[in-house]
Structure formats: C-alpha cells, structure tokens
Amino acid sequence: MPRLKIDDDELDIDELENAEYDDTRYERYDGEIPPKDTVLVGYVKSAWLTETQAGDRMIKVLFVADGNTGDEEDYNGLPVWENLALTTKSKFKWAPFFNQFGLTVRMFAKQTMLAAEDDNVGAPITKIGKWSPGEDSRCAIVTGRERYNGAFQVRVAEWMDEPEDDEDEEELDEEELEEEEYEEEEEEEPPPPARTRRAASGKGTASPATKRAAPAKPAATKSSTRKPAPKAAAKPARGKAKASGYDDEPPF
C-alpha cells in the first residue's frame, strides 16, 4: 500500500497542532421540538455573512430560546437557524427580521462590521449600524416547522417583541390598588359631632337662683403677676422629625 507523502512546506504541522479554536460555541440541545405557533422568547446569539449556492449574499442567523417559563420552559436552549437570502424573491424572510431590529438594506451594505477572521459558518457579523447580535438582542418568535432530510426543523414564522412579564404586571396592579386605597382612607374625614338642640324659648329656663349675677371678682393688685405664655415647641431639625404615619438551505 502506498504511503502518503506531504512536504513540510505544504502542511505546517506545528501551526496546525498549536492553533487555538473555540470548541464551546454551540450548546447541544436534546429537548423536544415545539409545535407550530409556539411563542418563544430568547435572543439572536450570532449572525454570519455567507452566500447562497447561487452566489447571492445571505445572512445566517442563530436564535436561541432563553428565559421561557411555564409550558415553554422545556424549550430553553433550543437553537433556531434562519437563512436570510438577500434577494427580492426572499424578502418575505429577511424583511421581518430587518424591521424587528430597525435595520435597512442600506445599513447592511454600508454599516456592517465583521470579525477579523471567518469561522466554519461564515464571516461573523459583529454589528450592523447600532445593532449587535448577543444577549442584548432579545426578542420573541412564533415558531414554524419544516421538513428537511426526513426530519422536522423549527423555523421562524414571525419575529416580534419580547412580551412583558405577566407576573410583574400583576404585582404592579396590586401595588397601585393598595396606594389608591391608602389615599382614599387619608381623604376620608370623621363626621362632625352632632349638635345638641337648645331648649325652646320659655321652656326649661334657668331657675331664678341661676339668674342672679355672680359677685364681681376683686381687681387684681399690682403685685399679682401674669403667667408667661407657653413657648411654641421647637421645630425638629431636618431629617430628625418623627414620622406621622429563505432561499432556504440547510443550516450547514
């Protein structure tokens, strides 16, 4: 059997063996595939500039489900690949993605930044205008399904904003309700005391003894002294007062 012979100048053995590479880029997902029309929240983890088989420019997008709760919690970590071929025929695929993140074709053509080196997928996109892929690029998707090589794959049927947390809304509503009740209690004032009716004229009048004038009090002598008026309580210092209460292609 002939032995393969490769010259040293054809294959740099040391360079290949010592080269560093990223072997933790993708996390394996072993969960179930969600049914169609499932709303999943997550983020666009990565994007690449690639080409279709016909040579058209294409953006490959990786969405990862993250932060789902309830029945959708089991889908966290699900990767969803999208091929966005930049052709008029495939505008129904790339236009919703661009609209979701405020991108335009002109921005893509003039303001796309790429990583220094390509990887096994393509040229990593680091930024388009002000948008960057990563954990801050959160959104939600409505899932679709597509059969490829005899197996179903998840596709993005719709891009949308991440829904607000229902629990936070309920807590906020309860706090607002408590504040309203507290304000209503403060506004309520106790009813004024009932006034007693005076006796009718000619009835229940005072007895003659009570009509006699009281003897005059002797005038105060010069030596008598008046008590000084009480001093107003000193106002506490600030802070100390007491509280008062697709040209579709496979992912690779």
Side-chain angles (χ1 to χ4, degrees):
M1 233 180 230
R3 184 186 296 274
L4 175 65
K5 294 182 180 180
I6 299 178
D7 296 334
D8 292 342
D9 58 352
E10 183 181 354
L11 190 68
D12 193 328
I13 298 175
D14 292 336
E15 181 182 9
L16 292 173
E17 289 184 344
N18 295 328
E20 296 181 357
Y21 68 101
D22 184 3
D23 60 350
T24 60
R25 179 180 296 277
Y26 314 113
E27 297 179 4
R28 186 179 297 277
Y29 176 78
D30 298 323
E32 298 291 331
I33 300 299
K36 291 177 62 176
D37 298 328
T38 301
V39 177
L40 296 177
V41 299
Y43 62 97
V44 177
K45 183 175 182 178
S46 303
W48 294 264
L49 176 62
T50 62
E51 289 186 353
T52 67
Q53 293 180 354
D56 296 313
R57 292 286 190 178
M58 184 172 72
I59 301 175
K60 186 180 286 290
V61 173
L62 173 59
F63 170 89
V64 177
D66 175 74
N68 295 277
T69 59
D71 295 338
E72 286 74 34
E73 185 175 3
D74 292 339
Y75 301 129
N76 286 333
L78 169 73
V80 182
W81 293 87
E82 280 297 298
N83 295 321
L84 309 178
L86 299 179
T87 64
T88 55
K89 181 181 178 181
S90 300
K91 189 171 182 178
F92 74 99
K93 294 283 289 183
W94 57 261
F97 176 82
F98 275 32
N99 293 337
Q100 175 62 37
F101 295 104
L103 305 177
T104 65
V105 178
R106 184 172 298 278
M107 290 171 63
F108 168 76
K110 304 296 182 180
Q111 302 178 34
T112 297
M113 304 296 292
L114 302 176
E117 297 181 0
D118 294 3
D119 58 18
N120 61 324
V121 180
I125 296 174
T126 59
K127 184 179 290 189
I128 301 177
K130 295 182 179 180
W131 175 80
S132 298
E135 293 187 2
D136 291 336
S137 184
R138 294 195 64 85
C139 62
I141 65 169
V142 179
T143 62
R145 271 191 173 191
E146 183 180 78
R147 186 180 290 276
Y148 178 75
N149 285 347
F152 279 109
Q153 291 185 341
V154 182
R155 293 298 190 194
V156 178
E158 183 180 348
W159 297 92
M160 57 191 295
D161 292 334
E162 184 176 12
E164 296 181 358
D165 194 344
D166 294 338
E167 293 182 359
D168 292 343
E169 289 183 355
E170 291 177 1
E171 292 178 0
L172 183 60
D173 292 341
E174 290 177 0
E175 291 177 359
E176 291 177 350
L177 183 60
E178 290 177 357
E179 289 179 359
E180 289 177 0
E181 291 176 351
Y182 180 74
E183 290 175 357
E184 288 177 0
E185 290 177 358
E186 281 191 336
E187 290 175 358
E188 291 179 359
E189 296 181 357
R195 297 181 179 180
T196 57
R197 295 183 178 179
R198 294 184 178 179
S201 174
K203 294 183 180 181
T205 55
S207 61
T210 59
K211 288 184 177 180
R212 294 176 184 177
K217 293 182 180 180
T221 61
K222 292 183 179 181
S223 59
S224 63
T225 57
R226 295 182 180 179
K227 294 182 179 180
K231 295 182 179 180
K235 189 175 181 180
R238 294 293 301 275
K240 295 185 178 181
K242 293 184 179 179
S244 60
Y246 21 57
D247 179 6
D248 286 319
E249 298 186 356
F252 298 99

